């Protein structure tokens, strides 16, 4: 900033707009602060975009939830085609003892429904460890063996791929909360979705991303 002021003064003197008497007694110097300023963290904004599957695949987005205080679990899943059209959506309570177990169980139920539309299914979840297990040969912890056996059977019968998506782009997060607080299995389609989910699905069809905001490390 100081050098900019100096350049302004020099240019003004050169073109005659400022006379030497105008800067009489004025000294140009830099004043350094006595202590380092506090650098405040700034939020980082990342666009999260839902990518439709290639035809003839369908995409199954899932989310499982577990509330320790009540030991209740719930899950939600939504099935969409290559154009982003919602083929089916579900919210249901689950018999699970952790969020990790709920994540795997909701994928199993989602694959059963998604297979009504295609046998090529792209699973998408915001649980990174669940995605790694689904893509790999391991079965994970012992308490997941029953569910992993069911998923292994699905992998034999269907063509399955799995990928991670941040929570901000995963619509079933809201359906999982409905399942957590509900008592019955609820099946929906594109017309009967809750209004805010219908709006999210429409934005997906239009290619509009969601925003993920996190504090800078």
């Amino acid at each position: 900033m100081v050098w900019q002021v100096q350049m302004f003064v020099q240019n003004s003197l050169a073109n005659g707009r400022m006379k030497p008497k105008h800067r009489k007694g004025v000294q140009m110097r830099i004043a350094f602060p006595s202590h380092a300023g506090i650098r405040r963290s700034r939020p980082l904004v990342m666009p999260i975009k839902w990518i439709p599957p290639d035809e003839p695949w369908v995409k199954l987005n899932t989310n499982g939830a577990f509330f320790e205080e009540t030991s209740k679990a719930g899950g939600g899943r939504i099935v969409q085609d290559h154009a982003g059209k919602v083929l089916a959506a579900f919210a249901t309570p689950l018999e699970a003892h952790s969020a990790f177990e709920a994540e795997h169980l909701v994928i199993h139920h989602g694959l059963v429904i998604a297979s009504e539309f295609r046998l090529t299914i792209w699973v998408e979840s915001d649980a990174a460890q669940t995605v790694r297990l689904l893509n790999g040969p391991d079965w994970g912890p012992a308490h997941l063996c029953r569910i992993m056996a069911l998923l292994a059977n699905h992998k034999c019968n269907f063509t399955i791929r799995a990928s991670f998506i941040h929570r901000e782009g995963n619509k079933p997060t809201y359906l999982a909360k409905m399942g957590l607080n509900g008592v019955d299995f609820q099946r929906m389609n594109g017309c009967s979705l809750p209004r805010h989910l219908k709006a999210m699905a429409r934005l997906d069809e239009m290619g509009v991303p969601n925003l993920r905001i996190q504090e800078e490390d």
Side-chain angles (χ1 to χ4, degrees):
M1 183 65 182
V2 172
W3 70 268
Q4 291 175 323
V5 174
Q6 289 176 330
M7 288 293 297
F8 172 77
V9 172
Q10 291 173 1
N11 291 335
S12 297
L13 288 172
N15 59 31
R17 286 185 301 179
M18 181 181 288
K19 305 299 181 181
K21 64 179 181 179
H22 293 150
R23 54 170 296 190
K24 185 177 181 180
V26 176
Q27 295 181 352
M28 293 290 182
R29 61 184 181 182
I30 301 175
F32 293 97
S34 58
H35 60 278
I38 300 175
R39 183 177 181 274
R40 298 180 179 178
S41 62
R42 293 175 297 177
L44 301 176
V45 180
M46 179 193 311
I48 306 297
K49 186 176 180 180
W50 181 85
I51 305 297
D54 297 328
E55 198 173 11
W57 290 73
V58 294
K59 181 173 276 191
L60 168 66
N61 280 78
T62 69
N63 184 261
F66 179 76
F67 193 45
E68 291 186 2
E69 293 185 7
T70 60
S71 296
K72 287 186 176 181
R77 49 267 195 204
I78 187 167
V79 182
Q80 292 170 269
D81 65 11
H82 65 282
K85 178 184 177 182
V86 176
L87 302 176
F90 315 89
T92 182
L94 297 171
E95 291 291 334
H97 301 89
S98 67
F100 194 46
E101 186 177 0
E103 291 283 359
H104 290 77
L105 195 56
V106 75
I107 290 177
H108 159 62
H109 290 305
L111 287 171
V112 172
I113 302 300
S115 64
E116 296 178 7
F117 305 97
R118 296 284 193 280
L119 297 182
T120 50
I121 305 168
W122 180 351
V123 179
E124 197 165 58
S125 170
D126 56 33
Q129 191 172 358
T130 298
V131 171
R132 283 195 295 269
L133 279 179
L134 193 59
N135 282 328
D138 297 332
W139 282 28
H143 69 278
L144 288 182
C145 285
R146 179 182 64 86
I147 302 173
M148 293 305 296
L150 295 172
L151 294 178
N153 186 58
H154 289 312
K155 291 167 74 172
C156 291
N157 295 321
F158 315 136
T159 302
I160 297 174
R161 58 191 292 191
S163 63
F164 171 81
I165 187 170
H166 286 290
R167 183 175 296 267
E168 288 78 5
N170 199 28
K171 292 178 292 300
T173 299
Y174 302 93
L175 292 171
K177 293 178 181 178
M178 290 175 58
L180 190 66
N181 298 319
V183 293
D184 297 314
F185 175 89
Q186 302 178 62
R187 177 165 180 164
M188 295 156 273
N189 55 33
C191 296
S192 59
L193 275 176
R195 183 178 299 177
H196 64 284
L197 284 177
K198 192 181 297 185
M200 290 179 67
R202 178 57 180 156
L203 291 175
D204 282 345
E205 290 184 46
M206 297 169 61
V208 179
N210 297 293
L211 296 180
R212 174 178 173 81
I213 301 175
Q214 62 184 28
E215 291 298 322
E216 185 181 41
D217 294 335

